[in-house]
């Protein structure tokens, strides 16, 4: 399923250990500003407590690496096997997902001890592997890195929700987003035709990005930047949340049942719209990309604008051919600001494709032609979720640098609003 | 959105009136075996009472034809406007769908009177139209025919559910399915490539079949017949409903929450599986196609068999190029037996593509490239449901003859089991 | 549990048969204005379809009389045993209560045939009983009469709800209530002390009215008539439904969750309050007793008025000592108007104690000291419901004449609004 | 509503301050063994987090004492007003009860700071009051003491539930209950007659214990001790949870829906029943009182035993006349073991009436004749909950010493199982 990320030198023990330390310590760095109480709360069933994320990614290495390779393996704690299994049926029963917030122990500090134990055992194991065994194990370990990075993002998006439930409006960290002047939305034409999508060549990818395959695309155009808060306010002012005709039927049902009137983290105080962020609660900034939308809202906006959302193939083909892979030279620890940025000045090309907001596409999350999940429990990683979800592309400001790529397929149910989502418009080419 | 079904002579008043009478009287023919009490019951929110179907299709003509064209139009009954609107937001508020079974009046007989009134007004209107107006109106009327045919099928599938809820095991009508010997499943190879799908040329189609467009298909193979009850019993005997690894995650959730153990209308009595049908309750017949499955069950079976479901494009391309359109020469009233048939003897080609069971595909129900819903309330017919559903192809034994075609796209949520669904396997071509 | 209602001559076969015919035919008389469709609908879980009531009371005689005494007894239809058992665990499993409206067959006419069959068998049985057997059976038969009368009332209150769900506002029968001038509410002083309550002496009663026993009552006063719609409008105008401080906590929860703003069958059209009745929908009549209230609403009104509800013992003691038993000389068929009447002119005594609206008391429905339910399935009649309900007294305009009495204990959950309920105020005597 | 507990010297500032320190510090002593994570979790809607309890009782003093009397009063934190109001509508809106576990901040330590602030202000206030003001305020302060004691008990019963949700089976504190030999259940005869119940004379009581009043009791007998685990195992072995005929209808519904098979905290491992306690999970001890039962279970047991539950008046009259008030000479900090004790040897009198398990009575929780809630927000303390609950008597092993008394009325819904409940049998006297 996975290929190693870089050249042969990364298959050395030193390279693996260095990467291991980097990924593992970044998780702890993200959790550091959070109190034991913060790390315990589950504010809705989709959210997991911080300390659960920290333990689960550790369980992943313990289960899929140590249990397979360690001599005289015994679990650190029998019941952790049960508590920190997320959804792997082949591994055994699991503690109910919606009740992760009912578990006070192990506490945040105990989870740190568990992490330390597994880290030491991982280092011991790697030190003693012969090259053949290492080569065999390297792809699972690299999957563990990418898995932990996914949970780094989830940890942030979940704690954002946890803190939002608190009337004291606590903040996580960092500084607010810079403001800016939104410029006019431009359009980038793409020729289409019989093109290739899916992951090719070197570097790691998830199984759902495979196999690379051909699709036929009619000529199309993509908006050159994300839709902004300012544009969303226009949609709202024009009755966007009150006009059934703009909405998919399921979406309109949600609008009415849940009384949606604005993006997820917006609230109106004395006539002014504010937005909850990880840095605090601020007046909505018109220059920033609008975020925390459901697919339904993104789709309704596109209808209102007389446009549509891009397919995932359109997005990927444009990203790959016009832009290439994301630039991840930035240092992990410094680079994340946890907020989307205003669009840079227009250049005639695509802007904000990577690392601001996950972009909803019009594509359902389904298997690529020829897709086969991996054998065993690891095969449950992606394939069994190919039902009832929509694809998002590009990564967001909570995604760890180096994690996303052009072929990366994220997915959420159409009604999900707590991920850091946004939208880019598309339309068919003029004929 | 719609083009007329046949040549210019069908645009004559006589042709339209004759077709009108044929479609409208067939609805009444289907309702005839049902008592006033039968016609009143709604056994679950997805089901509508028979008399509601009879009234709603009448309301459709009243709303989209008479209200637009009749001089001095006034509704037959003001409140019917509210009671019999299904989901057209642009027409106004509606009686709650889940409570259609709470409405005892108008009774079955009163609905007949309503139908008679609208029929008379429709005939009067058509008689007085000049050719230009007729041409303009004809496509809406033809949409009304196809709409009523869809409800003819729904009426049958809904009353099947209503009667199944009754411990007295009442029957609807007709005679049981003939039995037969299932033969070996064969495979038909299809070359694929850059092919055209979507409705083209003459005849009516729904807007969701448009526009015709190109897609690229890898070479593939289709099973030459539907999966049988006998094969389903093998799946069950092999733990099909107990092995999480075969199922999509959402599907496995349903299996557990709703304790699925067999297809929807099956029940086990003293160790023997019986099936509720419109003709009565009979031991499961191994030669007949398995039916009343969710998409999840169809997908799990395909996983168990080491195959997959076809995409809707694969299905359509094969049907169109290898088989052509369905043969609907049969007379309406006589031709429907309301049960799927055993597969005819193998011929090396595709069998049971039309008119036995709606075949689940692996395709989500989404807009074709370049799709635009019609203007106005009629635009709500299909487009707003393009979310959270899967495409089915081919028609079933409850579909009125002449209604389905190669490009026809039916759709249901992945968990729906009360439609008359089945499955055909597919796989990629050997390389 | 039961004693026979009148003198020894009622224990003759002739007297029993005459009473049997009277009670049984009255049920059919009440159902006569209802179409087969009307008789099929269940508009909420608490409601049962008319034809279910007609069949269930028949099942009661079949189960508790014929099955016990008939030679070569066989059920009329095996599955009816299952379909028409209401809640008798000792008899066996039952069709789910909330799904009674899913059953179209037996139809209304078939139920009539079932009734005729049981009637004939009951007559045959009674004709052949020797006096000893008759004496033994008479109390069960009389329970059957009273059971059927309870369902006569339920039939009416249920069909009232069914018709209220219909936007066509259909009516059941009869003529609207006469209007009148409400006069001032007066008070009747009652001395209290160590008094006797519960059923004593001759005539039928339910087991929950037994045994008679002593209770100590402080001196108290009762309002001399029911609270009127006019007084309720004052409560509403004074913010009755908006002031948490007037309400029990559970009641306030319901007010908010279900947005209560007025009694159950009231709706406001263009600023005027209308009330749905069995005779049609009319502007609220200020002189009539307010009806279709929950216990919570009755209690909140009493708080608003600075008073309280009476206990069931206070009500019974006053009724028995100041008024005696209800006068039921009226002929069944003619006497019921299905609406409460305006209070008659004040006389210094209690008015409207019987037959207008069931009066909520402040007493929970619990066993009397020394209560023992009957042996066997019949013991489930009342005792197992002594939990989570409140007692109501006096009967209502839907209660068949001759059915209620001073010691009669009706009961409903505090939130029930579809019964024909009302309220009378009480307070402690001035000291 | 409240009278002061002891003689005039308790109304001195010194006495009040000493009592204040005692009650307040005991809360902190109970919370001390719990980690910040433990104090944050809400394992079901009925449970509140430990730190919420600690903050809410503090808010009570701030709201009902400081806000009324402090010069230049300002809330410690505006939002605490909202977060820590439990159910006082008159005080204003509240954070949703079911979401108290979503609030990570203020953390456990911050709550300690809040407590310290209010304690200092309370001391300052009390030091400056003149005797008249003190006298006026003393009853509210004493209510605050009793309120905090109620939450001390809730804190323990809630954390018991929190820890029970954790597969790691963490313990709270203390040592397991001693075992013992259950002796035969004896009976104590009580004469009854016209007796007085309700709180009389000196000392504090809640408003729901007032006014004292007369009731008439038939002669009765009470079991001389609580029912034991051993007796409960007999009930289970005799099909207690499978025989509908033993149960109230609502109770039987719960047994089936929630698959009750044993008391709340029991679980069967390899054929042996274990019980979760605050001290750990142990095999069920037959000599200990059975605990954590719903009213439904207690009632079903009584039916099975051919007895009944006592009324609250029977319980109180027997306690008062045969036993007197509980002996609370024990020192708070040492006396609580957090588990019920085996019954002491039989003496011919009542045993285990106080301080082992709250005893379910057959009485609904309703107002005493002549009851009036206090004016203002404090009036919401008890009165508005007099609906849909049953009375329990006697206190339990989690109740702080000195808190309960003969007239004390506790109340819970009939289905509540997480309180520390038990049962004592009663029956009418032999005639």
């Amino acid at each position: 399923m996975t290929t190693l990320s870089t050249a042969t030198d990364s298959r050395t023990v030193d390279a693996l250990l260095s990467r291991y330390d980097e990924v593992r310590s970044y998780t702890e760095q993200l959790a550091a500003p959070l109190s034991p109480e913060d790390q315990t709360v589950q504010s809705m069933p989709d959210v997991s407590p911080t300390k659960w994320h920290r333990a689960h990614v550790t369980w992943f290495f313990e289960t899929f690496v140590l249990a397979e390779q360690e001599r005289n393996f015994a679990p650190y704690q029998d019941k952790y096997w049960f508590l920190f299994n997320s959804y792997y049926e082949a591994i055994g029963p699991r503690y109910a997902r919606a009740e992760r917030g009912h578990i006070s122990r192990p506490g945040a500090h105990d989870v740190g001890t568990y992490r330390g134990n597994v880290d030491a055992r991982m280092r011991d194991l790697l030190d003693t592997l012969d090259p053949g065994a290492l080569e065999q194990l390297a792809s699972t370990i690299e999957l563990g890195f990418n898995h932990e990075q996914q949970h780094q993002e989830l940890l942030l998006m979940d704690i954002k929700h946890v803190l939002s439930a608190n009337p004291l409006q606590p903040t996580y960290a960092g500084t607010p987003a810079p403001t800016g002047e939104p410029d006019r939305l431009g359009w980038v034409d793409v020729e289409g035709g019989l093109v290739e999508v899916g992951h090719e060549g070197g570097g790691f990818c998830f199984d759902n990005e495979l196999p690379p395959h051909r699709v036929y695309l009619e000529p199309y155009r993509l908006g050159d930047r994300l839709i902004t808060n300012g544009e969303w306010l226009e949609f709202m002012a024009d009755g966007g949340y009150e006009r059934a005709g703009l909405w998919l039927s399921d979406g309109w049902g949600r609008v009415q049942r849940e009384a949606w009137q604005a993006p997820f983290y917006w609230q109106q105080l004395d006539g002014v719209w504010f937005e909850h962020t990880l840095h605090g609660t601020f007046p909505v900034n018109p220059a920033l990309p609008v975020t925390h939308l459901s697919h339904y809202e993104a789709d309704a906006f596109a209808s209102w604008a007389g446009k549509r959302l891009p397919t995932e193939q359109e997005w990927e083909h444009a990203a790959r051919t016009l832009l290439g892979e994301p630039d991840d030279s930035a240092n992990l620890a410094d680079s994340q600001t946890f907020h989307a940025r205003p669009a840079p000045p227009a250049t005639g090309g695509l802007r904000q494709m990577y690392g601001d907001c996950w972009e909803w596409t019009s594509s359902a999350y389904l298997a690529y032609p020829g897709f086969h999940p991996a054998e065993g429990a690891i095969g449950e990683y992606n394939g069994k979720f190919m039902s009832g979800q929509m694809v998002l592309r590009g990564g967001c400001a909570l995604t760890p640098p180096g994690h996303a790529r052009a072929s990366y397929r994220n997915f959420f149910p159409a009604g999900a609003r707590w991920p850091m989502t946004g939208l880019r418009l598309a339309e068919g080419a003029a004929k």
Side-chain angles (χ1 to χ4, degrees), chain A:
Chain A
M1 166 182 46
T2 58
T3 16
L4 275 173
S5 54
T6 46
T8 39
D9 59 347
S10 82
R11 305 192 195 199
T12 65
V13 166
D14 283 356
L16 265 184
L17 278 176
S18 157
R19 178 80 171 137
Y20 184 88
D21 289 345
E22 181 186 37
V23 170
R24 297 281 292 166
S25 66
Y26 190 52
T27 301
E28 295 298 271
Q29 183 180 327
L30 292 177
L34 298 168
S35 70
E37 293 93 333
D38 291 338
Q39 295 197 31
T40 301
V41 170
Q42 176 177 38
S43 49
M44 69 165 172
D46 289 327
V47 158
S48 295
T50 303
K51 69 185 175 69
W52 187 92
H53 284 299
R54 293 169 57 218
H56 164 69
V57 293
T58 305
W59 168 95
F60 191 95
F61 283 111
E62 197 186 14
T63 302
F64 293 112
V65 180
L66 294 182
E68 296 293 321
Q69 301 286 342
E70 197 176 36
R71 281 185 202 192
N72 306 320
F73 171 82
Y76 175 73
Q77 224 283 14
D78 278 346
K79 292 282 172 50
Y80 286 16
W81 218 247
F82 174 76
L83 275 174
F84 300 123
N85 178 2
S86 53
Y87 55 65
Y88 295 87
E89 303 275 352
I91 301 298
R94 292 160 309 290
Y95 191 79
R97 179 184 176 118
E99 295 168 15
R100 288 176 187 163
H102 296 179
I103 297 301
S104 60
R105 308 183 197 177
H109 182 78
D110 305 322
V111 168
T113 307
Y114 174 42
R115 290 181 63 91
N117 174 279
V118 167
D119 287 349
R121 288 154 66 200
M122 283 291 294
R123 285 192 200 97
D124 285 352
L125 177 73
L126 290 177
D127 273 343
T128 60
L129 283 180
D130 60 59
L134 179 64
E135 173 139 7
Q136 195 191 334
L137 206 54
S139 69
T140 305
I141 294 174
E142 184 144 18
L143 181 62
F145 298 158
N146 281 272
H147 173 257
E148 186 143 350
Q149 288 183 313
Q150 290 187 314
H151 281 275
Q152 288 164 359
E153 178 174 330
L154 288 168
L155 182 160
L156 291 166
M157 94 191 204
D158 287 357
I159 202 68
K160 185 170 186 177
H161 189 267
V162 167
L163 298 179
S164 79
N166 193 327
L168 300 173
Q169 302 191 332
T171 63
Y172 168 71
T175 52
T179 189
E181 286 303 308
D183 59 359
R184 251 189 99 205
L185 179 67
W187 291 88
V188 175
D189 283 276
V190 190
E191 197 175 338
L194 196 59
V195 308
E196 186 107 357
V197 295
H199 188 76
E200 280 182 293
F204 171 86
C205 76
F206 288 108
D207 59 355
N208 62 11
E209 302 166 52
L210 296 173
H213 60 283
R214 279 174 291 181
V215 296
Y216 181 77
L217 302 178
E218 302 282 346
Y220 62 103
R221 315 169 74 201
L222 289 183
D224 75 339
R225 62 159 168 77
L226 297 174
I227 294 301
T228 62
N229 285 328
E231 285 155 343
W232 198 266
L233 287 163
E234 289 176 45
F235 168 71
M236 287 164 59
D238 196 34
Y241 283 96
E242 289 114 51
R243 290 161 56 186
L246 298 173
W247 294 78
L248 288 163
S249 180
D250 289 346
W252 184 241
R254 294 287 287 267
V255 167
Q256 295 189 293
R257 268 199 314 283
E258 302 177 13
W260 290 356
Q261 298 186 61
F264 189 51
Y265 283 125
W266 290 24
Q267 56 180 316
Q268 202 171 24
L269 300 171
D270 297 329
V272 180
W273 284 104
F274 285 76
E275 182 174 8
H276 163 78
T277 78
L278 284 169
H279 318 287
T281 299
F282 301 100
V284 164
N285 182 335
L288 290 176
V290 62
T291 185
H292 292 288
L293 306 166
S294 63
H295 173 82
Y296 300 127
E297 287 162 293
D299 182 85
F301 183 94
S303 293
W304 173 75
K307 310 295 182 192
R308 60 173 175 80
L309 301 178
T311 66
E312 64 166 323
Q313 291 82 8
E314 289 172 338
W315 192 97
E316 178 173 337
H317 174 65
R320 177 184 297 185
T321 55
L322 302 180
L323 214 60
E325 295 294 336
D327 170 20
D328 290 316
S329 58
N331 181 283
L332 251 188
D334 295 343
S335 66
Q336 276 198 279
T337 54
F338 313 131
H339 50 67
R341 299 148 299 182
T347 60
L350 291 168
R351 296 178 283 171
Q352 295 179 308
M353 288 287 276
Y354 293 116
D356 289 291
C357 299
W358 285 106
E359 303 182 25
W360 285 110
T361 71
S362 63
S363 299
Y365 177 53
L366 296 171
Y368 280 172
F371 167 76
H372 287 292
E375 290 296 310
I378 285 282
E380 299 184 48
Y381 200 103
N382 277 311
K384 72 180 184 184
F385 300 110
M386 291 173 171
S387 166
Q389 311 209 46
M390 302 300 288
V391 173
L392 304 97
R393 294 298 196 119
C396 75
L398 309 182
T399 313
H403 183 66
R405 63 197 148 264
S407 61
Y408 197 102
R409 306 174 79 197
N410 200 354
F411 50 91
F412 281 106
R417 307 176 88 202
W418 95 113
M420 199 167 189
T421 56
L423 88 141
R424 178 184 306 275
L425 296 178
E427 66 178 342
K431 301 202 175 174

